[in-house]
Amino acid sequence: MPEDGALCGTFFMNGDVACAEGAISAGCRFFAGYPITPATEVAERMSERLPHVGGIYIQMEDEIASMNAILGASWAGLKAMTSTSGPGFSLMMENLGLGVMLETPCVLVNIQRAGPSTGLPTMAAQGDMMQARWGSHGSYEIIALVPSSPQEIFDLTITAFNLSERYRVPVLVMSDEAVGHMSEKVVIPRISPKELVSRRRPDGTQEQYLPYKADEDLVPPMAIAGEGYRFHVTGLTHDERGYPVMTVEAQDQLVRRLVDKIRLNKKDIIRYEEVGVEDAEVIVCAYGISTRVARLAVQEARNAGIRAGMLRLITVWPFAEDRIRELAQQVKAFVVPEINYGQIVLEVERCAAGKASTLLVPHMGGGVHHPQTILKAIKEAVQ
Amino acid sequence: MTTPLTVGENTVDSLLRLDRMPHIWCQGCGIGPAVGCFTRAIESSGLDPDKIALVSGIGCAGRAAGYVKLDSFHTTHGRALPFATGLKLGNPELNLVIFSGDGDLVAIGGNHLIHSARRNMDMTVICINNFNYGMTGGQAGPTTPLDARSTTTPYGNFEYPFNVPYLVAASGATYVARWTVLHVRQLEWSIAEAMTKPGFSFIEVLAPCPTLYGRMNKEPKGLDTMHSYQERSVVRDGADPKDVAIDSDGPIVVGKFVDIERPTFWDQWKLLLDRAREKKK
Amino acid sequence: MKLWRTPFDQAEKAIRPAKVLIDKERCKGCGYCVEFCPRGALVMSDELSSKGYTLAAVADESKCLGCGLCDILCPEFAIHVVSNDNES
């Protein structure tokens, strides 16, 4: 193990553990969490590893407290993370909004399980995708990444920290039970400091510092507590000084910037993978664990003479709407397999805008699709 | 915006955000004197204001974060304590003060209160207790005395309230005191003592709310409540917290009830680090 | 009062003339300072502030011992008691 405590080498580990290792490689030094199946292993791994890398692990009294504790730790200058699943994710929503409003970098991992309510705690689902986008009240933009393997959850956890530090916004890693509990080969490279992003800090004098005066990229430099800036931050609508201002104008200025700093930078944020889309007449648009099944279905469709392709969404929020619009000009149909009763399909349908048809392949949760189910939908779509 | 009267001389002014004065609190509100005591306690304790962070929740008292010239965080309803926990663990050099109301800390944030006390997190909680929810218009809460009127107990409060010092002491706080805002000298001294003491310190501050609670309970002016504090309060340092419950017209026991030593979360964390290193070898 | 000897800390404890400054923009007229001044040096005036509150005012500055209770009790941070040494 290198001196900084990050692992390096090739390992056989499950997605939850890989997520924790990704966080440590990304420089995460604070974890607050609460046990919940199937995300518990992330917390367990962090409790074991953080003491050895100069970090702090704390088990809070609930998920509400966990979310707040990572916001606090972030304002003390640490990279901070929490992990949870459906019920805990719901509890975190209010303070996810606080993170957005205070522009606090942090990472929230959701190892999704089937709901509603307690649902199927030990079985996979992708039912929180719209909650990830709209779960907290008010208008805002958020970043959500969806890994499809233990290797990718490792990689994307690092990306999540980088994006959250870059844009001062909570970033969600929307994994699921299948990826979380799946053990596979994970290659952990030596991460050089150059690959890691840290929030920009103010360089002006303390008297002149305005906590919410944004630079050209709409992201304000961030002071941390205890450095003498004596700043004030509030969940109330505020001006550049961070002071509450209860006016329509202040609301417009602030919320517009919070949304725009993500929307105008979406080229930098959005990631996707394309397989055989060049000549495709039908595209399977999938994300997370569903892509692994979809890949097989697309292959079988090709074998059967159907020009099928796949668009694998890695960044789900902000949504890859420009790319879907382009592809809609070319294809007959989009097939959207997801382990819920239709969430991301609504976005695909919106962007296809009638130019191509969309076909949902739902799964109510507790498992993954059978490749034949998706294949059947592909065949149906091209008829 | 008003200009300070004595620039550089007055402790209170140098630790206030003068560009936000006058504040939003009503005539006769007790939060102002408590904020004043806090700022003077910083001065008298000799602590570096740059290393003090103030965290508030939501409500009238929660607005204190916006008026003090410190690193100050106005968080969500009830969540000041877990936010402060993250802040403290992220930078153990910070002196954390949580300034919030009874509804915020004891009702919606009650779970965080008992757990922060249990962990003996090194922080000072100043809990303004005005017996009701002021910001939302005077509703009853878990500290509203039995039979008291509020906008949601028009026939009198039928629920038994918390004895807050008893709750916090039982949960493991190492410093527990209660004062009213009439006891300004004692309160200032108590806050200074709490801020310099390691571990979880809790100070309940009874404060008049003439606009809402007072108006509905035969104390329509702040002065009426102050007079009632003058008549009813009994200083009993070292009183057993179980004997200090407040009813609507009985004596109000004030004083320092608990001042004990117990390892803090951070002390325990350092022991854990040794254990972790030991196991690794 | 006649003392049989001069106390060693007399200079320190001597009553100093003090000046009570009341910020009329901040005062909301709660009356705490007037009510609890141990010397009765303050009074509620007839004057209204720009926001319509009845203002507290100094009635008799010579009564003030500079204890500062009005200052620390004021919910509005509107009263500052300053030493008047330089002027006397």
Side-chain angles (χ1 to χ4, degrees), chain A residues 52 55-57 59-62 64-65 68-69 71-73 75-76 78 95 225-226 228 230-236 243, chain B residues 17 19-20 49-51 65-66 69-74 76 79 82-83 86-87 89 94 111-112 115 119 269 276 280:
Chain A
H52 296 297
I56 292 162
Y57 166 88
Q59 185 167 311
M60 298 303 287
E61 50 274 18
D62 56 29
I64 303 172
N68 276 279
L71 296 179
W75 279 100
L78 298 189
N95 294 289
R230 303 221 205 152
F231 57 85
H232 174 59
V233 296
T234 172
L236 288 165
Y243 291 179
Chain B
R17 295 187 188 275
D19 48 353
R20 296 208 62 217
D50 283 350
K51 297 289 173 200
K69 208 170 175 182
L70 300 167
D71 289 332
S72 54
F73 300 86
H74 185 217
T76 44
R79 316 305 168 198
F83 192 101
L87 206 48
L89 297 180
L94 289 175
N111 196 25
H112 310 310
H115 284 278
R119 293 187 187 103
W269 177 257
K280 209 177 159 193

Short mmCIF file of all heavy atoms in Angstrom, two decimals, chain A residues 52 55-57 59-62 64-65 68-69 71-73 75-76 78 95 225-226 228 230-236 243, chain B residues 17 19-20 49-51 65-66 69-74 76 79 82-83 86-87 89 94 111-112 115 119 269 276 280:
data_model
loop_
_atom_site.label_atom_id
_atom_site.label_comp_id
_atom_site.label_asym_id
_atom_site.label_seq_id
_atom_site.Cartn_x
_atom_site.Cartn_y
_atom_site.Cartn_z
N HIS A 52 -6.84 4.78 8.83
CA HIS A 52 -5.47 4.58 8.34
C HIS A 52 -5.02 5.62 7.33
O HIS A 52 -3.86 5.64 6.93
CB HIS A 52 -5.35 3.18 7.70
CG HIS A 52 -5.56 2.08 8.70
ND1 HIS A 52 -4.74 1.89 9.78
CD2 HIS A 52 -6.55 1.15 8.79
CE1 HIS A 52 -5.19 0.86 10.49
NE2 HIS A 52 -6.30 0.41 9.92
N GLY A 55 -8.39 10.00 7.97
CA GLY A 55 -9.77 10.46 7.81
C GLY A 55 -10.62 10.15 9.03
O GLY A 55 -10.13 9.57 10.00
N ILE A 56 -11.86 10.54 8.97
CA ILE A 56 -12.77 10.32 10.09
C ILE A 56 -14.04 9.64 9.61
O ILE A 56 -14.65 10.05 8.62
CB ILE A 56 -13.13 11.65 10.77
CG1 ILE A 56 -11.89 12.20 11.47
CG2 ILE A 56 -14.24 11.47 11.80
CD1 ILE A 56 -11.98 13.65 11.79
N TYR A 57 -14.41 8.60 10.35
CA TYR A 57 -15.67 7.92 10.09
C TYR A 57 -16.58 8.16 11.29
O TYR A 57 -16.16 8.03 12.44
CB TYR A 57 -15.44 6.41 9.94
CG TYR A 57 -16.72 5.61 10.00
CD1 TYR A 57 -17.45 5.37 8.85
CD2 TYR A 57 -17.22 5.14 11.22
CE1 TYR A 57 -18.64 4.67 8.91
CE2 TYR A 57 -18.42 4.45 11.28
CZ TYR A 57 -19.12 4.22 10.12
OH TYR A 57 -20.31 3.53 10.18
N GLN A 59 -20.62 7.21 12.58
CA GLN A 59 -21.95 6.68 12.32
C GLN A 59 -22.96 7.59 13.01
O GLN A 59 -22.96 7.73 14.22
CB GLN A 59 -22.08 5.25 12.84
CG GLN A 59 -23.43 4.68 12.46
CD GLN A 59 -23.49 3.19 12.66
OE1 GLN A 59 -22.60 2.47 12.22
NE2 GLN A 59 -24.51 2.73 13.34
N MET A 60 -23.80 8.21 12.22
CA MET A 60 -24.75 9.18 12.76
C MET A 60 -26.02 8.48 13.23
O MET A 60 -26.18 7.28 13.05
CB MET A 60 -25.08 10.25 11.71
CG MET A 60 -23.87 11.08 11.29
SD MET A 60 -23.02 11.93 12.64
CE MET A 60 -24.17 13.24 13.03
N GLU A 61 -26.92 9.27 13.80
CA GLU A 61 -28.14 8.71 14.36
C GLU A 61 -29.20 8.42 13.31
O GLU A 61 -30.14 7.68 13.54
CB GLU A 61 -28.71 9.62 15.46
CG GLU A 61 -28.86 11.10 15.09
CD GLU A 61 -27.58 11.90 15.32
OE1 GLU A 61 -26.50 11.29 15.43
OE2 GLU A 61 -27.64 13.14 15.36
N ASP A 62 -29.06 9.03 12.14
CA ASP A 62 -29.97 8.73 11.03
C ASP A 62 -29.38 9.34 9.75
O ASP A 62 -28.32 9.96 9.79
CB ASP A 62 -31.40 9.26 11.29
CG ASP A 62 -31.44 10.75 11.58
OD1 ASP A 62 -30.57 11.47 11.09
OD2 ASP A 62 -32.35 11.18 12.32
N ILE A 64 -30.62 11.74 7.95
CA ILE A 64 -30.73 13.20 7.94
C ILE A 64 -29.44 13.78 8.53
O ILE A 64 -28.83 14.71 7.99
CB ILE A 64 -31.95 13.67 8.76
CG1 ILE A 64 -33.22 13.03 8.23
CG2 ILE A 64 -32.06 15.18 8.73
CD1 ILE A 64 -34.45 13.29 9.10
N ALA A 65 -29.04 13.20 9.66
CA ALA A 65 -27.82 13.66 10.33
C ALA A 65 -26.60 13.39 9.46
O ALA A 65 -25.68 14.22 9.39
CB ALA A 65 -27.69 12.97 11.68
N ASN A 68 -26.25 16.03 6.81
CA ASN A 68 -25.81 17.30 7.38
C ASN A 68 -24.36 17.26 7.81
O ASN A 68 -23.64 18.24 7.68
CB ASN A 68 -26.68 17.67 8.57
CG ASN A 68 -27.93 18.37 8.11
OD1 ASN A 68 -27.91 19.56 7.85
ND2 ASN A 68 -29.01 17.64 7.96
N ALA A 69 -23.95 16.12 8.35
CA ALA A 69 -22.57 16.02 8.83
C ALA A 69 -21.59 16.14 7.67
O ALA A 69 -20.55 16.80 7.81
CB ALA A 69 -22.36 14.70 9.57
N LEU A 71 -22.07 17.83 4.96
CA LEU A 71 -22.06 19.24 4.56
C LEU A 71 -21.16 20.03 5.49
O LEU A 71 -20.35 20.85 5.06
CB LEU A 71 -23.48 19.82 4.58
CG LEU A 71 -24.49 19.22 3.59
CD1 LEU A 71 -25.85 19.91 3.75
CD2 LEU A 71 -24.02 19.36 2.16
N GLY A 72 -21.30 19.77 6.79
CA GLY A 72 -20.46 20.46 7.78
C GLY A 72 -18.98 20.18 7.54
O GLY A 72 -18.15 21.10 7.52
N ALA A 73 -18.66 18.91 7.32
CA ALA A 73 -17.25 18.53 7.11
C ALA A 73 -16.69 19.19 5.85
O ALA A 73 -15.52 19.58 5.81
CB ALA A 73 -17.12 17.02 7.02
N TRP A 75 -17.54 22.07 4.72
CA TRP A 75 -17.26 23.47 5.04
C TRP A 75 -16.04 23.62 5.94
O TRP A 75 -15.54 24.72 6.16
CB TRP A 75 -18.48 24.15 5.66
CG TRP A 75 -19.45 24.58 4.60
CD1 TRP A 75 -20.58 23.93 4.21
CD2 TRP A 75 -19.35 25.73 3.75
NE1 TRP A 75 -21.19 24.61 3.19
CE2 TRP A 75 -20.46 25.72 2.88
CE3 TRP A 75 -18.43 26.77 3.65
CZ2 TRP A 75 -20.67 26.71 1.92
CZ3 TRP A 75 -18.65 27.76 2.69
CH2 TRP A 75 -19.76 27.72 1.85
N ALA A 76 -15.58 22.48 6.50
CA ALA A 76 -14.32 22.52 7.24
C ALA A 76 -13.17 22.20 6.31
O ALA A 76 -12.02 22.13 6.74
CB ALA A 76 -14.37 21.52 8.40
N LEU A 78 -12.91 19.39 4.15
CA LEU A 78 -12.65 17.99 3.79
C LEU A 78 -13.53 17.56 2.61
O LEU A 78 -14.61 18.09 2.39
CB LEU A 78 -12.95 17.07 4.97
CG LEU A 78 -12.13 17.25 6.24
CD1 LEU A 78 -12.41 16.11 7.21
CD2 LEU A 78 -10.65 17.30 5.94
N ASN A 95 -31.92 18.00 2.98
CA ASN A 95 -30.60 18.59 3.17
C ASN A 95 -29.69 18.44 1.97
O ASN A 95 -28.66 19.09 1.88
CB ASN A 95 -29.97 18.05 4.46
CG ASN A 95 -30.79 18.54 5.64
OD1 ASN A 95 -30.74 19.72 5.96
ND2 ASN A 95 -31.59 17.67 6.21
N ALA A 225 -14.34 27.29 7.03
CA ALA A 225 -14.44 27.83 8.38
C ALA A 225 -13.07 27.85 9.07
O ALA A 225 -12.25 26.97 8.86
CB ALA A 225 -15.42 27.00 9.20
N GLY A 226 -12.86 28.87 9.87
CA GLY A 226 -11.66 28.92 10.70
C GLY A 226 -10.48 29.64 10.07
O GLY A 226 -9.40 29.68 10.63
N GLY A 228 -10.60 32.88 9.08
CA GLY A 228 -10.68 34.31 9.32
C GLY A 228 -11.55 35.07 8.34
O GLY A 228 -11.62 36.29 8.41
N ARG A 230 -14.74 34.86 8.18
CA ARG A 230 -15.96 35.19 8.93
C ARG A 230 -17.16 35.40 8.00
O ARG A 230 -17.80 36.45 8.01
CB ARG A 230 -15.73 36.42 9.80
CG ARG A 230 -14.57 36.22 10.74
CD ARG A 230 -14.88 36.79 12.09
NE ARG A 230 -13.68 37.13 12.81
CZ ARG A 230 -13.60 38.07 13.72
NH1 ARG A 230 -14.66 38.78 14.03
NH2 ARG A 230 -12.48 38.29 14.36
N PHE A 231 -17.41 34.40 7.19
CA PHE A 231 -18.50 34.48 6.22
C PHE A 231 -19.78 33.94 6.83
O PHE A 231 -19.77 33.24 7.84
CB PHE A 231 -18.14 33.69 4.96
CG PHE A 231 -17.81 32.25 5.25
CD1 PHE A 231 -18.83 31.30 5.34
CD2 PHE A 231 -16.50 31.83 5.44
CE1 PHE A 231 -18.55 29.98 5.61
CE2 PHE A 231 -16.21 30.50 5.72
CZ PHE A 231 -17.23 29.57 5.81
N HIS A 232 -20.89 34.30 6.19
CA HIS A 232 -22.18 33.76 6.61
C HIS A 232 -22.81 33.04 5.43
O HIS A 232 -22.81 33.55 4.32
CB HIS A 232 -23.11 34.90 7.06
CG HIS A 232 -24.50 34.45 7.37
ND1 HIS A 232 -24.76 33.50 8.34
CD2 HIS A 232 -25.70 34.76 6.84
CE1 HIS A 232 -26.07 33.28 8.39
NE2 HIS A 232 -26.66 34.03 7.48
N VAL A 233 -23.31 31.84 5.67
CA VAL A 233 -24.06 31.15 4.62
C VAL A 233 -25.41 30.74 5.17
O VAL A 233 -25.56 30.48 6.37
CB VAL A 233 -23.30 29.91 4.08
CG1 VAL A 233 -22.01 30.32 3.42
CG2 VAL A 233 -23.06 28.88 5.16
N THR A 234 -26.40 30.71 4.31
CA THR A 234 -27.75 30.42 4.75
C THR A 234 -28.53 29.67 3.68
O THR A 234 -28.29 29.87 2.49
CB THR A 234 -28.50 31.71 5.14
OG1 THR A 234 -29.87 31.38 5.40
CG2 THR A 234 -28.47 32.76 4.04
N GLY A 235 -29.45 28.84 4.11
CA GLY A 235 -30.35 28.16 3.19
C GLY A 235 -31.44 29.08 2.67
O GLY A 235 -32.18 28.72 1.75
N LEU A 236 -31.54 30.27 3.24
CA LEU A 236 -32.47 31.26 2.71
C LEU A 236 -31.92 31.81 1.40
O LEU A 236 -30.71 31.79 1.18
CB LEU A 236 -32.63 32.43 3.69
CG LEU A 236 -33.40 32.19 4.99
CD1 LEU A 236 -33.13 33.33 5.96
CD2 LEU A 236 -34.88 32.10 4.73
N TYR A 243 -25.99 37.07 2.58
CA TYR A 243 -27.04 37.56 3.48
C TYR A 243 -28.42 37.23 2.90
O TYR A 243 -28.62 37.33 1.69
CB TYR A 243 -26.94 39.07 3.67
CG TYR A 243 -25.74 39.55 4.44
CD1 TYR A 243 -25.53 40.91 4.66
CD2 TYR A 243 -24.82 38.65 4.97
CE1 TYR A 243 -24.43 41.37 5.36
CE2 TYR A 243 -23.72 39.11 5.67
CZ TYR A 243 -23.52 40.47 5.86
OH TYR A 243 -22.44 40.92 6.56
N ARG B 17 -22.70 41.84 12.64
CA ARG B 17 -22.74 42.30 11.25
C ARG B 17 -23.58 43.59 11.26
O ARG B 17 -24.81 43.54 11.15
CB ARG B 17 -23.37 41.25 10.35
CG ARG B 17 -22.55 39.98 10.28
CD ARG B 17 -23.07 39.00 9.27
NE ARG B 17 -22.35 37.73 9.39
CZ ARG B 17 -21.18 37.48 8.79
NH1 ARG B 17 -20.64 38.38 8.00
NH2 ARG B 17 -20.58 36.32 8.97
N ASP B 19 -23.98 45.85 9.21
CA ASP B 19 -24.74 46.18 7.99
C ASP B 19 -26.09 45.47 7.97
O ASP B 19 -26.87 45.67 7.05
CB ASP B 19 -23.92 45.85 6.73
CG ASP B 19 -23.29 44.48 6.75
OD1 ASP B 19 -23.36 43.82 7.81
OD2 ASP B 19 -22.72 44.06 5.73
N ARG B 20 -26.36 44.61 8.97
CA ARG B 20 -27.66 43.95 9.02
C ARG B 20 -28.53 44.45 10.17
O ARG B 20 -29.57 43.89 10.45
CB ARG B 20 -27.48 42.43 9.12
CG ARG B 20 -26.80 41.86 7.89
CD ARG B 20 -27.22 40.43 7.65
NE ARG B 20 -28.63 40.33 7.41
CZ ARG B 20 -29.39 39.33 7.85
NH1 ARG B 20 -28.86 38.36 8.56
NH2 ARG B 20 -30.67 39.30 7.59
N PRO B 49 -11.92 34.81 17.83
CA PRO B 49 -13.18 34.75 17.07
C PRO B 49 -13.03 34.08 15.70
O PRO B 49 -13.99 33.51 15.19
CB PRO B 49 -13.58 36.22 16.91
CG PRO B 49 -12.82 36.96 17.95
CD PRO B 49 -11.56 36.19 18.18
N ASP B 50 -11.84 34.13 15.13
CA ASP B 50 -11.63 33.47 13.84
C ASP B 50 -11.78 31.96 13.94
O ASP B 50 -11.99 31.28 12.94
CB ASP B 50 -10.23 33.79 13.30
CG ASP B 50 -10.15 35.19 12.71
OD1 ASP B 50 -11.21 35.82 12.56
OD2 ASP B 50 -9.03 35.64 12.40
N LYS B 51 -11.63 31.44 15.14
CA LYS B 51 -11.70 29.98 15.32
C LYS B 51 -13.03 29.56 15.93
O LYS B 51 -13.16 28.42 16.41
CB LYS B 51 -10.54 29.51 16.22
CG LYS B 51 -9.17 29.75 15.61
CD LYS B 51 -8.92 28.83 14.42
CE LYS B 51 -7.62 29.19 13.71
NZ LYS B 51 -7.59 28.67 12.34
N ALA B 65 -27.38 33.39 13.56
CA ALA B 65 -26.21 33.12 12.72
C ALA B 65 -25.96 34.26 11.74
O ALA B 65 -24.83 34.55 11.38
CB ALA B 65 -26.39 31.81 11.97
N GLY B 66 -27.04 34.91 11.31
CA GLY B 66 -26.89 35.97 10.32
C GLY B 66 -26.46 37.29 10.91
O GLY B 66 -26.19 38.24 10.17
N LYS B 69 -20.62 38.31 13.51
CA LYS B 69 -19.51 38.39 12.55
C LYS B 69 -18.51 37.28 12.87
O LYS B 69 -17.43 37.51 13.40
CB LYS B 69 -18.85 39.77 12.64
CG LYS B 69 -18.21 40.20 11.36
CD LYS B 69 -17.82 41.65 11.47
CE LYS B 69 -17.06 42.12 10.26
NZ LYS B 69 -16.67 43.53 10.46
N LEU B 70 -18.94 36.07 12.57
CA LEU B 70 -18.12 34.88 12.76
C LEU B 70 -18.39 34.02 11.53
O LEU B 70 -19.29 34.32 10.76
CB LEU B 70 -18.55 34.10 14.00
CG LEU B 70 -18.50 34.81 15.35
CD1 LEU B 70 -19.27 34.00 16.38
CD2 LEU B 70 -17.05 34.96 15.80
N ASP B 71 -17.64 32.93 11.36
CA ASP B 71 -18.05 31.95 10.37
C ASP B 71 -19.38 31.40 10.87
O ASP B 71 -19.44 30.78 11.93
CB ASP B 71 -17.02 30.82 10.26
CG ASP B 71 -15.74 31.30 9.60
OD1 ASP B 71 -15.82 32.25 8.80
OD2 ASP B 71 -14.68 30.74 9.88
N SER B 72 -20.46 31.68 10.13
CA SER B 72 -21.76 31.33 10.68
C SER B 72 -22.63 30.64 9.64
O SER B 72 -22.64 31.03 8.47
CB SER B 72 -22.46 32.58 11.21
OG SER B 72 -22.53 33.58 10.23
N PHE B 73 -23.33 29.61 10.10
CA PHE B 73 -24.07 28.74 9.20
C PHE B 73 -25.52 28.67 9.62
O PHE B 73 -25.83 28.26 10.74
CB PHE B 73 -23.45 27.33 9.22
CG PHE B 73 -22.01 27.30 8.79
CD1 PHE B 73 -20.99 27.54 9.70
CD2 PHE B 73 -21.68 27.06 7.47
CE1 PHE B 73 -19.67 27.53 9.29
CE2 PHE B 73 -20.36 27.05 7.05
CZ PHE B 73 -19.35 27.28 7.97
N HIS B 74 -26.39 29.08 8.72
CA HIS B 74 -27.83 29.03 8.97
C HIS B 74 -28.34 27.81 8.21
O HIS B 74 -28.45 27.85 6.99
CB HIS B 74 -28.45 30.33 8.46
CG HIS B 74 -29.90 30.48 8.75
ND1 HIS B 74 -30.77 31.06 7.87
CD2 HIS B 74 -30.65 30.12 9.81
CE1 HIS B 74 -32.00 31.05 8.39
NE2 HIS B 74 -31.94 30.49 9.56
N THR B 76 -30.74 23.91 8.11
CA THR B 76 -32.16 23.57 8.00
C THR B 76 -32.76 23.32 9.38
O THR B 76 -32.04 23.23 10.38
CB THR B 76 -32.37 22.33 7.12
OG1 THR B 76 -31.40 21.36 7.49
CG2 THR B 76 -32.23 22.66 5.66
N ARG B 79 -31.36 20.76 12.20
CA ARG B 79 -30.15 20.04 11.80
C ARG B 79 -28.85 20.76 12.14
O ARG B 79 -27.79 20.41 11.61
CB ARG B 79 -30.19 19.73 10.31
CG ARG B 79 -31.51 19.20 9.79
CD ARG B 79 -32.00 17.98 10.54
NE ARG B 79 -33.39 17.73 10.19
CZ ARG B 79 -34.20 16.98 10.90
NH1 ARG B 79 -33.79 16.41 12.02
NH2 ARG B 79 -35.45 16.80 10.54
N PRO B 82 -26.07 18.08 13.75
CA PRO B 82 -25.26 17.22 12.87
C PRO B 82 -24.37 18.01 11.92
O PRO B 82 -23.25 17.57 11.62
CB PRO B 82 -26.29 16.39 12.10
CG PRO B 82 -27.60 17.06 12.31
CD PRO B 82 -27.51 17.79 13.61
N PHE B 83 -24.82 19.17 11.47
CA PHE B 83 -23.98 20.02 10.62
C PHE B 83 -22.74 20.42 11.40
O PHE B 83 -21.61 20.32 10.92
CB PHE B 83 -24.77 21.26 10.17
CG PHE B 83 -24.11 22.06 9.08
CD1 PHE B 83 -24.53 21.93 7.77
CD2 PHE B 83 -23.09 22.95 9.37
CE1 PHE B 83 -23.93 22.67 6.75
CE2 PHE B 83 -22.48 23.69 8.36
CZ PHE B 83 -22.91 23.56 7.05
N GLY B 86 -20.17 17.62 11.78
CA GLY B 86 -19.29 17.48 10.62
C GLY B 86 -18.21 18.55 10.61
O GLY B 86 -17.03 18.29 10.37
N LEU B 87 -18.62 19.77 10.94
CA LEU B 87 -17.70 20.90 10.94
C LEU B 87 -16.61 20.69 12.00
O LEU B 87 -15.43 20.90 11.75
CB LEU B 87 -18.51 22.16 11.26
CG LEU B 87 -18.06 23.53 10.80
CD1 LEU B 87 -17.68 23.55 9.34
CD2 LEU B 87 -19.17 24.54 11.06
N LEU B 89 -15.60 17.83 13.40
CA LEU B 89 -14.70 16.72 13.11
C LEU B 89 -13.80 17.05 11.92
O LEU B 89 -12.67 16.57 11.83
CB LEU B 89 -15.49 15.44 12.84
CG LEU B 89 -16.32 14.95 14.04
CD1 LEU B 89 -17.07 13.68 13.68
CD2 LEU B 89 -15.45 14.73 15.26
N LEU B 94 -11.71 24.16 15.61
CA LEU B 94 -12.82 25.11 15.68
C LEU B 94 -13.55 24.96 17.00
O LEU B 94 -13.72 23.87 17.53
CB LEU B 94 -13.81 24.85 14.54
CG LEU B 94 -13.39 25.21 13.13
CD1 LEU B 94 -14.47 24.76 12.15
CD2 LEU B 94 -13.15 26.70 13.00
N ASN B 111 -33.61 14.20 18.25
CA ASN B 111 -32.76 13.02 18.11
C ASN B 111 -31.28 13.41 18.04
O ASN B 111 -30.43 12.77 18.67
CB ASN B 111 -33.17 12.28 16.82
CG ASN B 111 -32.64 10.86 16.77
OD1 ASN B 111 -32.38 10.26 17.80
ND2 ASN B 111 -32.49 10.34 15.58
N HIS B 112 -30.99 14.48 17.30
CA HIS B 112 -29.60 14.91 17.19
C HIS B 112 -29.08 15.43 18.54
O HIS B 112 -27.92 15.28 18.86
CB HIS B 112 -29.47 16.01 16.13
CG HIS B 112 -30.11 15.65 14.83
ND1 HIS B 112 -29.87 14.45 14.20
CD2 HIS B 112 -31.00 16.30 14.05
CE1 HIS B 112 -30.59 14.39 13.08
NE2 HIS B 112 -31.28 15.50 12.97
N HIS B 115 -28.17 12.49 20.82
CA HIS B 115 -27.00 11.75 20.33
C HIS B 115 -25.72 12.59 20.40
O HIS B 115 -24.65 12.04 20.65
CB HIS B 115 -27.25 11.22 18.93
CG HIS B 115 -28.15 10.03 18.93
ND1 HIS B 115 -27.68 8.75 19.19
CD2 HIS B 115 -29.49 9.91 18.79
CE1 HIS B 115 -28.70 7.91 19.17
NE2 HIS B 115 -29.82 8.59 18.94
N ARG B 119 -22.50 11.36 22.52
CA ARG B 119 -21.12 11.28 22.00
C ARG B 119 -20.17 12.21 22.75
O ARG B 119 -18.97 12.12 22.59
CB ARG B 119 -21.10 11.69 20.52
CG ARG B 119 -21.81 10.76 19.60
CD ARG B 119 -21.59 11.15 18.15
NE ARG B 119 -22.41 10.34 17.30
CZ ARG B 119 -23.54 10.76 16.73
NH1 ARG B 119 -23.93 12.00 16.87
NH2 ARG B 119 -24.26 9.94 15.99
N TRP B 269 -11.91 8.99 19.81
CA TRP B 269 -11.44 8.77 18.44
C TRP B 269 -9.92 8.55 18.43
O TRP B 269 -9.41 7.70 17.71
CB TRP B 269 -11.82 9.96 17.55
CG TRP B 269 -11.29 9.84 16.16
CD1 TRP B 269 -10.22 10.49 15.61
CD2 TRP B 269 -11.81 8.98 15.12
NE1 TRP B 269 -10.05 10.10 14.31
CE2 TRP B 269 -11.00 9.17 13.98
CE3 TRP B 269 -12.86 8.06 15.05
CZ2 TRP B 269 -11.21 8.49 12.78
CZ3 TRP B 269 -13.07 7.39 13.85
CH2 TRP B 269 -12.25 7.61 12.74
N ALA B 276 -6.55 0.98 15.92
CA ALA B 276 -6.52 0.64 14.49
C ALA B 276 -5.08 0.38 14.04
O ALA B 276 -4.81 -0.55 13.30
CB ALA B 276 -7.15 1.76 13.67
N LYS B 280 -3.28 -3.20 12.71
CA LYS B 280 -2.67 -3.25 11.38
C LYS B 280 -1.31 -3.94 11.42
O LYS B 280 -0.91 -4.58 10.46
CB LYS B 280 -2.52 -1.81 10.87
CG LYS B 280 -2.59 -1.69 9.36
CD LYS B 280 -2.49 -0.22 9.01
CE LYS B 280 -2.05 -0.06 7.58
NZ LYS B 280 -1.66 1.33 7.33
#
